[in-house]
Amino acid sequence: MSKIKLGILGGGEDSLIGILHRVAASMFDRYEIVGGVFDIEHARSLSFGEKLQLDSKRIYRDLDHLIKEEAQLPENERMQVISVLTPNFLHFPMAKQLLENGYNVICEKPLTTTYEEAKILQKTQEKSGSIFGVTYTYTGYPMVRQMKTMISNGEIGEIQKVDVQYYQGWINPLIHDKEKRSNTWRLDPEKSGISCCIGDIGTHAFNMAEYVTGMRISSILADLNYLYEDNPMDIDGTVLLRFSEKVKGVIRASQIATGEENNFTVKIYGNKGALKWEQENPNYLYLLKEDQPLQVLKPGHSYNSDFSLEGTKLPPGHPEGIFDSMGNIYLGIANAIEKNTKFEGAFPPLAEGLRGMSFIEKTVASHKKGNVWIKMNDK
Amino acid sequence: MSKIKLGILGGGEDSLIGILHRVAASMFDRYEIVGGVFDIEHARSLSFGEKLQLDSKRIYRDLDHLIKEEAQLPENERMQVISVLTPNFLHFPMAKQLLENGYNVICEKPLTTTYEEAKILQKTQEKSGSIFGVTYTYTGYPMVRQMKTMISNGEIGEIQKVDVQYYQGWINPLIHDKEKRSNTWRLDPEKSGISCCIGDIGTHAFNMAEYVTGMRISSILADLNYLYEDNPMDIDGTVLLRFSEKVKGVIRASQIATGEENNFTVKIYGNKGALKWEQENPNYLYLLKEDQPLQVLKPGHSYNSDFSLEGTKLPPGHPEGIFDSMGNIYLGIANAIEKNTKFEGAFPPLAEGLRGMSFIEKTVASHKKGNVWIKMNDK
Amino acid sequence: MSKIKLGILGGGEDSLIGILHRVAASMFDRYEIVGGVFDIEHARSLSFGEKLQLDSKRIYRDLDHLIKEEAQLPENERMQVISVLTPNFLHFPMAKQLLENGYNVICEKPLTTTYEEAKILQKTQEKSGSIFGVTYTYTGYPMVRQMKTMISNGEIGEIQKVDVQYYQGWINPLIHDKEKRSNTWRLDPEKSGISCCIGDIGTHAFNMAEYVTGMRISSILADLNYLYEDNPMDIDGTVLLRFSEKVKGVIRASQIATGEENNFTVKIYGNKGALKWEQENPNYLYLLKEDQPLQVLKPGHSYNSDFSLEGTKLPPGHPEGIFDSMGNIYLGIANAIEKNTKFEGAFPPLAEGLRGMSFIEKTVASHKKGNVWIKMNDK
Amino acid sequence: MSKIKLGILGGGEDSLIGILHRVAASMFDRYEIVGGVFDIEHARSLSFGEKLQLDSKRIYRDLDHLIKEEAQLPENERMQVISVLTPNFLHFPMAKQLLENGYNVICEKPLTTTYEEAKILQKTQEKSGSIFGVTYTYTGYPMVRQMKTMISNGEIGEIQKVDVQYYQGWINPLIHDKEKRSNTWRLDPEKSGISCCIGDIGTHAFNMAEYVTGMRISSILADLNYLYEDNPMDIDGTVLLRFSEKVKGVIRASQIATGEENNFTVKIYGNKGALKWEQENPNYLYLLKEDQPLQVLKPGHSYNSDFSLEGTKLPPGHPEGIFDSMGNIYLGIANAIEKNTKFEGAFPPLAEGLRGMSFIEKTVASHKKGNVWIKMNDK
């Protein structure tokens, strides 16, 4: 099975979302990045592509060129799917053009800037029959998937209350200063659509509420906060949810929850139990039952569903972030190799391995001699 | 700057350590995997290399062939560093041969099976002048690096107590059954050296204690547990540490701490404060000071050291595991593309993006109409 | 300073609220319980009073008798304050009668069954000039008081968002069974007023929101859930709050949050920081500031306000519940004394104290002899 | 059943241990404090007894007087048990005298200053047949009792590892200053016996290890730290434990664990599972099993043992500290009554009860009118 050929639009240089998508694409050895348009300026796009060691011929000037020139390649070399990581207002025209040309698409959220555009996109996809994924990232966590499975298996019975919170504080230092708030693109309706807080994070909360419950919200009542009259965009809001007459819920989203980082929590209450999950500690899923001990489920255990286990690469107790830890050590070694610096601490040098062996041997010796002190002579 | 050419020994197929090293190598776009020996059986090695889409010429029969044939390549194409992910007893001969042939080496721990071997390796490296990294993975976490920096900056004053715990429970189901325990390679001195628990995890604790404090342990007193007389290998132990006359510490390591996953915690107490870190929640670093509120530091904030920030790729509140979450979504899309299945839940399809746009528009409308209920008509 | 003479209405036998009030009254050696009406049946009231070793003359038949006969006592012997712990619908008539007769009153919440009654009570108090306390218990926690002080000192700046949650699950096993729900007094408007969930716990959330912020809610919008058409009382609800045009908030209360015990949490966000507190872990107060480490404040430290410290009786690290732990040991000893049983474990007998001394001496001896093993010969 | 007559030695005025014992004695309405010797100075003892409203005749000059004069009282009025809360070196002579005179005794720990004294005490008790309790306070927590029961029921199988930690940091600011350390009574062997850290807190750890496991430690190996040569008392130590050849353990105790408050944690690992408990969060008991979700047990649930439930006075979710919260409100009211101050915040006044009623009515009205905004007109 050969790797899927992946093209990328946007996400160049220091783009965080670019890093996230590239690493994600590498995780299961299933994708090969073959080219794209990384930047609106072709020179920068080219130099970034070079850093990724891509064939410079496939670093295109723009999307039109990409589509035209990829079509010239032998079919088994062409991009099979393209990730759209550009600013929000470009999602729609690019995704549409890609669909019209038969590409599978991975698109960052929000999908478009208006509902109208999104409907057009949907019709376009229906014609093309392409695969189209929107990266609501948080639905990929193993314990979110476990939550979804357990709910659909009836583990907590019939749902009777849904409570989703998405609190951040990042806009607080900007919103109270008139100049700053008028210069923030997130607060500019032309660039960000009609909503800031709900558009950016409320939409994650909404998607998650429907994703894990498998239910559809039938109506909503919202109260938003703009804080200042000259601010056209909501930066905080509470939305009452009605799934059905009996099943209610609430989404709370804020960007002025000062000091909060990315506090996205999901609580689903059924008539037989409840499930809770918090994005900032994504390896824990809490199962509550009446008059029973609280249960804490973690990834990688055999009690999890196949769907959850498929997304876990390491044994229990290895938080997913361990990839990053190892990644940092590889970075330290790369720096050492290329710059010939050997910064103490950036990676464990051979001497530490040596010392570790000494420790093992002396520990066993201390024990075998009757638990006595032994010197660690070496350094 | 072109990518560093990386070869790999071992780590084929479903090897967890193989996945970990490959993902780590991809994290900062600094390495390109070009070949290696993935399996002792060449056919399996080849088929795994094919999965990684490597040039089959560089999937070598064994290390001898690798060394000989790589040397035939133009210098700028040759492997620059080689990761040794083979069983423990092969670390020494392979690493030695690599050093003797001028390669930079990344080697899994434990470095060797005896201290004697490790000393030979060190001498070999001194001659070759190569870079040699031992992957004590946990030292790469951003908050471990922050801990190291804060201690070296005197944040907690002079260290007066060191407490490191590494508790696992995985060997419990094996150790109490005579047949199982005699068939576990980890409990076989020929394959695993003289120690199981201390050799496998005690050594991490030891390395961490010295890494974060910047101090050297001068002597040790150990009490190990073997549980059964026919078991030649420790599966639990406590090691008293003496850094200096005044500065003492203790390492507790266990593989019979039933129910523990990978509970590695580090506590360093100084005369001006203390720092604590837990591997299973690696994004939190706790700073204790006399009669002051407990402080909880997290990655990505400007209050962290450059050394810590270098290892953080995303903004605060995005646990490092988010890469995995996104990785899982990419996997779902890959499956959809290749198998043409569109499993509901494995990735968010376009329809969810559409629905998200509807939610945003209706939320703003509900608010603007005076906080009234609005129907979500679409599905 | 002599103790205040306290009378009690209700709270007899196994009444939990009775225990809570009696222990609270004993905490600072400021009250002496002298009598009351513990039960509607006089015989039970008398026997309970006897258990408390009260003068049986002051265990009155009913409130009328209490008022008449207390007035006959010398002034310095009379009850000075009376706690009303009776069912909700009796709060109003009893408290009114007490105020009219010049008594200070401590009254359980909810104050009355209707707002109308409460207004009458207020007018009665204005005439009498008595002290009148309503036991919103949770406002007495040291860290709630610390929160109130910090907010009033401007520690988190101007408040911009208030979020209070009070989730319980206790009504879940009753509500889904038609017979059970029609026989629960909490769901009977005649006994419990017009609201169950909001009346019982929403009102705590409301009081807490105003208590810690020092602000007043100016208007509300509510969405309640009754789950079944034949159920006349809300058992879940979300209330949008408006303090002022800019300052909004939300109260979420539920008795169908299955598996929740008494999950009452308060989050206050200001433009300079935020404070969070959770009733189930009442010794922790969380202070969030932009781009600073999270701070966790605990009771008894000098960094707390005098108002908070006044309510802390033990040094830091002794959770308030330690009183209960010691109380249990006293109970074990009481049982041993009276029943002459010496149940192993109900309290530590002398032999354990002896053994503790042996441990101390042998520990020092082991150390002084150079860290050697010493036997614990005794049992 | 009349209350048990309790006398107290020591614990006068602001003594924390005095408060703790008095509140504990009141918790189950089983004791009546009738007198004692609260202070070495009789005048202070008398004034403290007056505060407690005790009969001044039973505030004795010293223990000799107490014993002589109590014996003159009718038998059913005499003290039945006496709590010894005096400085450590007085425990022995007082407890001995009490036992010799037939009293039941409650004695603070450490029982005596030497093992020798403790043995004498034991013999004295054997003769007298009195009840004698040593207040190892922490064994009274409901979840410690649950832990003990579960272990004895075989819930975690055969114990294979015991790990107890007791870390405090309080001596850190004293120990590094020569003058301060030479003036601290805890570091003076004449007043505190041969050990500071082990004697004060190590002994709790030791008792707890044996209490919850029901096993006896057979030998120990200790490493203590004194930090300074002129300091005669240990302020930190690690003690290796051997229960049997196979079953090992470790106690870690410290008073120089800077920033720690009263961090006493117990971890017991068996071959079928493990149990963990932390004194600073005493309402949580953690049950670990291989490849099963972590379970968190809390007090008051029916899944707990009778022994645990006996020590829980309130329903689940009410942390034991709620007594203190209510106690603080009673204190606020006492202050208001006596000083006629009505400090805003020290207790909830009638106006808050009124406002609560308004909130309830308006919330129901908002809901019934179709979820609309309603003003809170009153203040």
Side-chain angles (χ1 to χ4, degrees), chain C residues 191-214:
Chain C
K191 293 188 185 124
S192 300
I194 60 170
S195 166
C196 178
C197 176
I198 297 300
D200 190 27
I201 59 178
T203 187
H204 271 300
F206 173 82
N207 175 254
M208 185 63 87
E210 295 194 340
Y211 179 79
V212 295
T213 63

PDB file of all heavy atoms in Angstrom, chain C residues 191-214:
ATOM      1  N   LYS C 191     -45.742  21.498  49.452  1.00  0.00           N
ATOM      2  CA  LYS C 191     -44.727  21.403  50.501  1.00  0.00           C
ATOM      3  C   LYS C 191     -43.447  22.187  50.188  1.00  0.00           C
ATOM      4  O   LYS C 191     -42.725  22.583  51.078  1.00  0.00           O
ATOM      5  CB  LYS C 191     -44.363  19.926  50.745  1.00  0.00           C
ATOM      6  CG  LYS C 191     -45.524  19.139  51.356  1.00  0.00           C
ATOM      7  CD  LYS C 191     -45.110  17.758  51.780  1.00  0.00           C
ATOM      8  CE  LYS C 191     -46.307  16.955  52.280  1.00  0.00           C
ATOM      9  NZ  LYS C 191     -46.484  15.695  51.564  1.00  0.00           N
ATOM     10  N   SER C 192     -43.173  22.350  48.896  1.00  0.00           N
ATOM     11  CA  SER C 192     -41.862  22.896  48.541  1.00  0.00           C
ATOM     12  C   SER C 192     -41.908  24.205  47.769  1.00  0.00           C
ATOM     13  O   SER C 192     -40.877  24.656  47.274  1.00  0.00           O
ATOM     14  CB  SER C 192     -41.084  21.861  47.722  1.00  0.00           C
ATOM     15  OG  SER C 192     -40.905  20.685  48.452  1.00  0.00           O
ATOM     16  N   GLY C 193     -43.090  24.814  47.655  1.00  0.00           N
ATOM     17  CA  GLY C 193     -43.156  26.066  46.913  1.00  0.00           C
ATOM     18  C   GLY C 193     -43.196  25.823  45.416  1.00  0.00           C
ATOM     19  O   GLY C 193     -43.520  24.721  44.969  1.00  0.00           O
ATOM     20  N   ILE C 194     -42.840  26.819  44.641  1.00  0.00           N
ATOM     21  CA  ILE C 194     -43.048  26.690  43.197  1.00  0.00           C
ATOM     22  C   ILE C 194     -41.888  26.057  42.454  1.00  0.00           C
ATOM     23  O   ILE C 194     -41.941  25.893  41.242  1.00  0.00           O
ATOM     24  CB  ILE C 194     -43.337  28.054  42.540  1.00  0.00           C
ATOM     25  CG1 ILE C 194     -42.148  29.007  42.761  1.00  0.00           C
ATOM     26  CG2 ILE C 194     -44.618  28.639  43.065  1.00  0.00           C
ATOM     27  CD1 ILE C 194     -42.277  30.269  41.925  1.00  0.00           C
ATOM     28  N   SER C 195     -40.819  25.729  43.138  1.00  0.00           N
ATOM     29  CA  SER C 195     -39.645  25.253  42.402  1.00  0.00           C
ATOM     30  C   SER C 195     -38.896  24.207  43.201  1.00  0.00           C
ATOM     31  O   SER C 195     -38.775  24.317  44.426  1.00  0.00           O
ATOM     32  CB  SER C 195     -38.718  26.438  42.127  1.00  0.00           C
ATOM     33  OG  SER C 195     -37.450  25.989  41.712  1.00  0.00           O
ATOM     34  N   CYS C 196     -38.396  23.210  42.530  1.00  0.00           N
ATOM     35  CA  CYS C 196     -37.577  22.201  43.208  1.00  0.00           C
ATOM     36  C   CYS C 196     -36.098  22.523  43.043  1.00  0.00           C
ATOM     37  O   CYS C 196     -35.411  22.884  43.981  1.00  0.00           O
ATOM     38  CB  CYS C 196     -37.892  20.809  42.656  1.00  0.00           C
ATOM     39  SG  CYS C 196     -36.880  19.509  43.413  1.00  0.00           S
ATOM     40  N   CYS C 197     -35.592  22.429  41.827  1.00  0.00           N
ATOM     41  CA  CYS C 197     -34.152  22.582  41.574  1.00  0.00           C
ATOM     42  C   CYS C 197     -33.675  24.000  41.879  1.00  0.00           C
ATOM     43  O   CYS C 197     -32.689  24.197  42.578  1.00  0.00           O
ATOM     44  CB  CYS C 197     -33.847  22.199  40.126  1.00  0.00           C
ATOM     45  SG  CYS C 197     -32.147  22.448  39.665  1.00  0.00           S
ATOM     46  N   ILE C 198     -34.385  24.972  41.333  1.00  0.00           N
ATOM     47  CA  ILE C 198     -33.961  26.359  41.546  1.00  0.00           C
ATOM     48  C   ILE C 198     -34.169  26.743  43.013  1.00  0.00           C
ATOM     49  O   ILE C 198     -33.330  27.410  43.621  1.00  0.00           O
ATOM     50  CB  ILE C 198     -34.740  27.307  40.605  1.00  0.00           C
ATOM     51  CG1 ILE C 198     -34.409  26.980  39.145  1.00  0.00           C
ATOM     52  CG2 ILE C 198     -34.445  28.773  40.924  1.00  0.00           C
ATOM     53  CD1 ILE C 198     -32.948  27.117  38.769  1.00  0.00           C
ATOM     54  N   GLY C 199     -35.279  26.290  43.578  1.00  0.00           N
ATOM     55  CA  GLY C 199     -35.578  26.621  44.971  1.00  0.00           C
ATOM     56  C   GLY C 199     -34.588  26.021  45.943  1.00  0.00           C
ATOM     57  O   GLY C 199     -34.234  26.630  46.958  1.00  0.00           O
ATOM     58  N   ASP C 200     -34.106  24.839  45.626  1.00  0.00           N
ATOM     59  CA  ASP C 200     -33.225  24.154  46.558  1.00  0.00           C
ATOM     60  C   ASP C 200     -31.752  24.510  46.357  1.00  0.00           C
ATOM     61  O   ASP C 200     -31.041  24.841  47.297  1.00  0.00           O
ATOM     62  CB  ASP C 200     -33.417  22.638  46.413  1.00  0.00           C
ATOM     63  CG  ASP C 200     -32.706  21.878  47.520  1.00  0.00           C
ATOM     64  OD1 ASP C 200     -32.528  22.448  48.606  1.00  0.00           O
ATOM     65  OD2 ASP C 200     -32.338  20.723  47.300  1.00  0.00           O
ATOM     66  N   ILE C 201     -31.295  24.445  45.121  1.00  0.00           N
ATOM     67  CA  ILE C 201     -29.859  24.663  44.906  1.00  0.00           C
ATOM     68  C   ILE C 201     -29.554  25.875  44.023  1.00  0.00           C
ATOM     69  O   ILE C 201     -28.535  26.529  44.206  1.00  0.00           O
ATOM     70  CB  ILE C 201     -29.165  23.394  44.351  1.00  0.00           C
ATOM     71  CG1 ILE C 201     -29.774  22.943  43.026  1.00  0.00           C
ATOM     72  CG2 ILE C 201     -29.221  22.263  45.379  1.00  0.00           C
ATOM     73  CD1 ILE C 201     -29.090  21.727  42.411  1.00  0.00           C
ATOM     74  N   GLY C 202     -30.455  26.186  43.083  1.00  0.00           N
ATOM     75  CA  GLY C 202     -30.246  27.380  42.254  1.00  0.00           C
ATOM     76  C   GLY C 202     -30.102  28.609  43.144  1.00  0.00           C
ATOM     77  O   GLY C 202     -29.309  29.514  42.876  1.00  0.00           O
ATOM     78  N   THR C 203     -30.846  28.602  44.222  1.00  0.00           N
ATOM     79  CA  THR C 203     -30.807  29.744  45.133  1.00  0.00           C
ATOM     80  C   THR C 203     -29.452  29.871  45.837  1.00  0.00           C
ATOM     81  O   THR C 203     -28.978  30.975  46.103  1.00  0.00           O
ATOM     82  CB  THR C 203     -31.984  29.614  46.135  1.00  0.00           C
ATOM     83  OG1 THR C 203     -32.064  30.787  46.913  1.00  0.00           O
ATOM     84  CG2 THR C 203     -31.824  28.417  47.043  1.00  0.00           C
ATOM     85  N   HIS C 204     -28.788  28.759  46.108  1.00  0.00           N
ATOM     86  CA  HIS C 204     -27.406  28.814  46.619  1.00  0.00           C
ATOM     87  C   HIS C 204     -26.480  29.450  45.579  1.00  0.00           C
ATOM     88  O   HIS C 204     -25.621  30.259  45.906  1.00  0.00           O
ATOM     89  CB  HIS C 204     -26.876  27.400  46.915  1.00  0.00           C
ATOM     90  CG  HIS C 204     -27.147  26.910  48.295  1.00  0.00           C
ATOM     91  ND1 HIS C 204     -26.696  27.541  49.420  1.00  0.00           N
ATOM     92  CD2 HIS C 204     -27.834  25.823  48.738  1.00  0.00           C
ATOM     93  CE1 HIS C 204     -27.075  26.869  50.494  1.00  0.00           C
ATOM     94  NE2 HIS C 204     -27.782  25.826  50.116  1.00  0.00           N
ATOM     95  N   ALA C 205     -26.663  29.015  44.330  1.00  0.00           N
ATOM     96  CA  ALA C 205     -25.811  29.530  43.260  1.00  0.00           C
ATOM     97  C   ALA C 205     -26.011  31.037  43.116  1.00  0.00           C
ATOM     98  O   ALA C 205     -25.050  31.802  42.963  1.00  0.00           O
ATOM     99  CB  ALA C 205     -26.140  28.814  41.950  1.00  0.00           C
ATOM    100  N   PHE C 206     -27.259  31.438  43.155  1.00  0.00           N
ATOM    101  CA  PHE C 206     -27.596  32.858  43.039  1.00  0.00           C
ATOM    102  C   PHE C 206     -26.963  33.650  44.181  1.00  0.00           C
ATOM    103  O   PHE C 206     -26.311  34.673  43.972  1.00  0.00           O
ATOM    104  CB  PHE C 206     -29.127  32.989  43.067  1.00  0.00           C
ATOM    105  CG  PHE C 206     -29.620  34.395  43.118  1.00  0.00           C
ATOM    106  CD1 PHE C 206     -29.720  35.149  41.960  1.00  0.00           C
ATOM    107  CD2 PHE C 206     -30.005  34.974  44.330  1.00  0.00           C
ATOM    108  CE1 PHE C 206     -30.188  36.451  42.011  1.00  0.00           C
ATOM    109  CE2 PHE C 206     -30.469  36.273  44.382  1.00  0.00           C
ATOM    110  CZ  PHE C 206     -30.559  37.016  43.224  1.00  0.00           C
ATOM    111  N   ASN C 207     -27.160  33.177  45.400  1.00  0.00           N
ATOM    112  CA  ASN C 207     -26.611  33.869  46.559  1.00  0.00           C
ATOM    113  C   ASN C 207     -25.087  33.956  46.469  1.00  0.00           C
ATOM    114  O   ASN C 207     -24.482  34.990  46.743  1.00  0.00           O
ATOM    115  CB  ASN C 207     -27.019  33.134  47.836  1.00  0.00           C
ATOM    116  CG  ASN C 207     -26.379  33.745  49.081  1.00  0.00           C
ATOM    117  OD1 ASN C 207     -25.463  33.193  49.660  1.00  0.00           O
ATOM    118  ND2 ASN C 207     -26.823  34.923  49.474  1.00  0.00           N
ATOM    119  N   MET C 208     -24.456  32.857  46.066  1.00  0.00           N
ATOM    120  CA  MET C 208     -22.999  32.831  45.973  1.00  0.00           C
ATOM    121  C   MET C 208     -22.497  33.826  44.925  1.00  0.00           C
ATOM    122  O   MET C 208     -21.499  34.523  45.136  1.00  0.00           O
ATOM    123  CB  MET C 208     -22.540  31.415  45.617  1.00  0.00           C
ATOM    124  CG  MET C 208     -21.041  31.217  45.594  1.00  0.00           C
ATOM    125  SD  MET C 208     -20.248  31.482  47.198  1.00  0.00           S
ATOM    126  CE  MET C 208     -20.403  29.846  47.926  1.00  0.00           C
ATOM    127  N   ALA C 209     -23.202  33.876  43.780  1.00  0.00           N
ATOM    128  CA  ALA C 209     -22.795  34.802  42.706  1.00  0.00           C
ATOM    129  C   ALA C 209     -22.773  36.233  43.224  1.00  0.00           C
ATOM    130  O   ALA C 209     -21.852  37.004  42.940  1.00  0.00           O
ATOM    131  CB  ALA C 209     -23.732  34.669  41.513  1.00  0.00           C
ATOM    132  N   GLU C 210     -23.786  36.598  43.987  1.00  0.00           N
ATOM    133  CA  GLU C 210     -23.828  37.966  44.503  1.00  0.00           C
ATOM    134  C   GLU C 210     -22.886  38.150  45.698  1.00  0.00           C
ATOM    135  O   GLU C 210     -22.315  39.217  45.879  1.00  0.00           O
ATOM    136  CB  GLU C 210     -25.264  38.334  44.893  1.00  0.00           C
ATOM    137  CG  GLU C 210     -26.195  38.374  43.679  1.00  0.00           C
ATOM    138  CD  GLU C 210     -27.545  39.048  43.956  1.00  0.00           C
ATOM    139  OE1 GLU C 210     -27.937  39.146  45.147  1.00  0.00           O
ATOM    140  OE2 GLU C 210     -28.200  39.470  42.995  1.00  0.00           O
ATOM    141  N   TYR C 211     -22.735  37.085  46.489  1.00  0.00           N
ATOM    142  CA  TYR C 211     -21.890  37.179  47.690  1.00  0.00           C
ATOM    143  C   TYR C 211     -20.430  37.452  47.319  1.00  0.00           C
ATOM    144  O   TYR C 211     -19.803  38.367  47.836  1.00  0.00           O
ATOM    145  CB  TYR C 211     -21.989  35.889  48.499  1.00  0.00           C
ATOM    146  CG  TYR C 211     -21.137  35.855  49.744  1.00  0.00           C
ATOM    147  CD1 TYR C 211     -21.557  36.502  50.905  1.00  0.00           C
ATOM    148  CD2 TYR C 211     -19.923  35.183  49.769  1.00  0.00           C
ATOM    149  CE1 TYR C 211     -20.786  36.483  52.060  1.00  0.00           C
ATOM    150  CE2 TYR C 211     -19.143  35.157  50.923  1.00  0.00           C
ATOM    151  CZ  TYR C 211     -19.583  35.811  52.065  1.00  0.00           C
ATOM    152  OH  TYR C 211     -18.798  35.793  53.200  1.00  0.00           O
ATOM    153  N   VAL C 212     -19.891  36.631  46.445  1.00  0.00           N
ATOM    154  CA  VAL C 212     -18.446  36.780  46.165  1.00  0.00           C
ATOM    155  C   VAL C 212     -18.144  37.990  45.291  1.00  0.00           C
ATOM    156  O   VAL C 212     -17.093  38.594  45.422  1.00  0.00           O
ATOM    157  CB  VAL C 212     -17.817  35.503  45.541  1.00  0.00           C
ATOM    158  CG1 VAL C 212     -17.858  34.346  46.526  1.00  0.00           C
ATOM    159  CG2 VAL C 212     -18.459  35.139  44.234  1.00  0.00           C
ATOM    160  N   THR C 213     -19.074  38.347  44.405  1.00  0.00           N
ATOM    161  CA  THR C 213     -18.791  39.494  43.530  1.00  0.00           C
ATOM    162  C   THR C 213     -19.120  40.822  44.198  1.00  0.00           C
ATOM    163  O   THR C 213     -18.588  41.854  43.802  1.00  0.00           O
ATOM    164  CB  THR C 213     -19.621  39.430  42.223  1.00  0.00           C
ATOM    165  OG1 THR C 213     -21.011  39.507  42.551  1.00  0.00           O
ATOM    166  CG2 THR C 213     -19.341  38.149  41.450  1.00  0.00           C
ATOM    167  N   GLY C 214     -20.036  40.815  45.168  1.00  0.00           N
ATOM    168  CA  GLY C 214     -20.497  42.074  45.744  1.00  0.00           C
ATOM    169  C   GLY C 214     -21.355  42.860  44.763  1.00  0.00           C
ATOM    170  O   GLY C 214     -21.625  44.044  44.962  1.00  0.00           O
TER     171      GLY C 214
END
